[in-house]
Amino acid sequence: NLTTLFVQQIDTPGVIAHISKCLNDHHVNIAFMKLYRDNKGENAYTIIETDEKLDDTLVAEIESNPSIKGAIVID
């Protein structure tokens, strides 16, 4: 079974790099990734399915970016 990470963020450069770096730092493999935004510079969303479970520490690291409004994990 895959784990799903749903991230709501502001559409700014570097946010996806931050998310993927956090996942990489925790040795998490991305199985699927989809991005979309409402309008340039406004709300954006990232949906990632991973092979591994995601712990609270990883989610907190992802949410540490000031452009990220929140992250939810669905097991």
Side-chain angles (χ1 to χ4, degrees):
N1 290 346
L2 298 175
T3 299
T4 302
L5 174 66
F6 179 81
V7 182
Q8 182 181 11
Q9 72 252 16
I10 300 168
D11 178 41
T12 55
V15 176
I16 301 307
H18 169 75
I19 295 169
S20 62
K21 181 184 182 317
C22 291
L23 293 171
N24 180 64
D25 289 349
H26 287 259
H27 308 288
V28 174
N29 189 47
I30 296 172
F32 170 86
M33 185 171 184
K34 173 102 175 145
L35 315 166
Y36 63 98
R37 65 182 184 189
D38 293 335
N39 290 298
K40 185 176 179 181
E42 296 181 8
N43 285 328
Y45 310 91
T46 303
I47 300 167
I48 300 172
E49 290 181 340
T50 65
D51 295 327
E52 293 77 25
K53 299 287 183 191
L54 308 179
D55 61 31
D56 293 340
T57 303
L58 171 56
V59 175
E61 287 177 24
I62 290 170
E63 291 180 322
S64 71
N65 185 299
S67 293
I68 293 181
K69 295 181 173 186
I72 299 169
V73 175
I74 303 166
D75 289 318

